[in-house]
């Protein structure tokens, strides 16, 4: 039996909650209200069967009358896992405790939250203004993409990329940062798969919304990635060496 998201106590049926952002923030510090088991189930299936996760999104819409999660557990756990992976990188490659703190904080808040918020805002604006179907008549209730749902889609898409580019990359990094064609090829393939899968999950997240059309536009960046990857390989660009040098250039065996 698949786990289902727990309902809020005292809520007897689906009700619209237009101001759900602030209750969402308040629940971040209340672990007892987070569905941790369901969150890990989502994370696992985002890597193996992402369509199943978005089928449950439809169920969430039917029961809570909103597409976005009302449980911040996914964001909290993803942030903790990202922090642990960054600490592992710093322990292996960094040169000072102060710089390690800077790497952890900057990567967590800028790469995950700030860039995530920018991408979510762009997708929220783009879908609501250019991809929504026209209502057939004035009696149909207008539906719009919620900003929190756009951020949820980003977080869902980010997690498998995190597994590939932070966890798997950590264990393969001694090989990926080495000189030679094989490390160059493997590094580019890993980044190509991770970025392509991010955009595929982004597509699934918006394709599940019945009031959007032309959602295949979210697949177009995958074509760009597939075209650029051979060019980067032929030019000798190794993304692993580039990013590791950017953060840990003082370690001479990375250069």
């Amino acid at each position: 039996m698949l786990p289902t998201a727990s309902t809020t106590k005292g809520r007897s049926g689906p009700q619209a909650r237009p101001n759900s952002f602030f209750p969402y923030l308040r629940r971040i510090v209340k672990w007892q209200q987070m569905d941790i088991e369901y969150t890990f189930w989502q994370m696992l299936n985002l890597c193996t069967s992402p369509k199943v996760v978005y089928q449950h999104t439809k169920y969430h819409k039917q029961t809570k009358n909103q597409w976005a999660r009302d449980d911040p557990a996914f964001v909290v756990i993803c942030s903790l896992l990202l922090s642990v992976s960054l600490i592992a990188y710093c322990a292996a490659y960094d040169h000072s405790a102060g710089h390690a703190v800077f790497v952890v904080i900057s990567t967590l808040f800028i790469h995950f939250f700030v860039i995530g918020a920018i991408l979510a805002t762009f997708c929220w604006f783009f879908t609501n203004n250019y991809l929504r179907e026209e209502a057939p008549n004035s009696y149909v209730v207008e539906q719009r993409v919620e900003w929190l749902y756009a951020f949820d889609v980003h977080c869902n898409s980010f997690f498998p990329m995190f597994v590939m580019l932070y966890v798997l990359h950590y264990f393969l990094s001694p090989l990926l940062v080495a000189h030679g064609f094989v490390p160059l090829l493997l590094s580019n393939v890993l980044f190509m798969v991770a970025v392509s899968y991010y955009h595929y999950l982004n597509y699934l997240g918006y394709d599940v919304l019945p009031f959007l059309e032309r959602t295949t536009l979210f697949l177009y960046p995958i074509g760009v990635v597939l075209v650029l990857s051979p060019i980067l390989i032929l030019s000798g660009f190794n993304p692993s060496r580039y990013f590791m040098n950017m953060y840990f250039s003082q370690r001479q065996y990375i250069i």
Side-chain angles (χ1 to χ4, degrees):
M1 180 177 179
L2 294 176
T4 57
S6 58
T7 56
T8 306
K9 184 177 180 180
R11 191 173 301 281
S12 58
Q15 299 176 6
R17 290 176 296 171
N19 299 316
S20 59
F21 184 71
F22 295 106
Y24 180 92
L25 291 178
R26 286 197 296 268
R27 291 186 62 182
I28 288 180
V29 296
K30 298 180 180 179
W31 280 93
Q32 65 275 17
Q33 295 185 9
M34 297 185 189
D35 195 336
I36 306 299
E37 181 182 356
Y38 180 65
T39 297
F40 281 115
W41 177 87
Q42 285 184 309
M43 290 179 168
L44 174 62
N45 279 276
L46 283 169
C47 298
T48 58
S49 304
K51 290 184 179 180
V52 175
V53 176
Y54 284 111
Q55 288 299 319
H56 273 242
T57 300
K58 294 181 179 179
Y59 170 79
H60 183 80
K61 170 63 175 176
Q62 294 170 357
T63 56
K64 301 294 183 69
N65 199 28
Q66 69 175 43
W67 292 99
R69 298 186 185 100
D70 57 354
D71 185 355
F74 194 99
V75 174
V76 172
I77 293 176
C78 194
S79 300
L80 291 176
L81 293 176
L82 179 57
S83 299
V84 171
S85 71
L86 292 170
I87 292 172
Y89 271 98
C90 292
Y93 295 108
D94 213 337
H95 63 288
S96 71
H99 186 260
V101 172
F102 169 77
V103 170
V104 173
I105 294 177
S106 63
T107 304
L108 177 62
F109 285 96
I110 296 178
H111 289 193
F112 182 54
F113 286 107
V114 175
I115 296 179
I118 292 173
L119 292 173
T121 302
F122 170 78
C123 292
W124 166 78
F125 176 83
F126 181 70
T127 52
N128 282 323
N129 287 277
Y130 299 104
L131 300 186
R132 283 193 305 134
E133 292 181 343
E134 293 292 335
N137 55 66
S138 58
Y139 299 101
V140 177
V141 177
E142 183 184 59
Q143 297 190 74
R144 301 181 66 86
V145 177
E146 307 150 3
W147 187 90
L148 268 180
Y149 180 76
F151 188 70
D152 281 347
V153 172
H154 162 72
C155 293
N156 290 346
S157 304
F158 177 85
F159 181 75
M161 187 169 68
F162 156 76
V163 172
M164 286 184 271
L165 296 187
Y166 287 83
V167 180
L168 182 60
H169 185 278
Y170 175 81
F171 294 104
L172 296 178
S173 57
L175 169 63
L176 297 177
V177 300
H179 293 279
F181 178 74
V182 173
L184 171 70
L185 177 64
L186 291 178
S187 178
N188 276 279
V189 169
L190 180 61
F191 275 77
M192 178 189 69
V193 172
V195 174
S196 297
Y197 198 66
Y198 173 91
H199 288 290
Y200 172 67
L201 291 187
N202 220 33
Y203 156 74
L204 290 182
Y206 294 104
D207 188 60
V208 76
L209 302 181
F211 55 91
L212 295 183
E213 57 184 3
R214 303 190 308 278
T215 53
T216 52
L217 289 173
F218 288 102
L219 295 174
Y220 287 8
I222 298 178
V224 177
V225 172
L226 295 177
V227 171
L228 286 179
S229 293
I231 297 175
L232 294 177
I233 294 173
L234 293 175
S235 65
F237 177 76
N238 186 325
S240 296
R241 290 174 59 82
Y242 174 80
F243 287 108
M244 295 290 281
N245 279 321
M246 184 171 66
Y247 285 106
F248 311 112
S249 59
Q250 288 75 8
R251 297 301 291 263
Q252 296 299 317
Y253 54 85
I254 297 178
I255 300 176

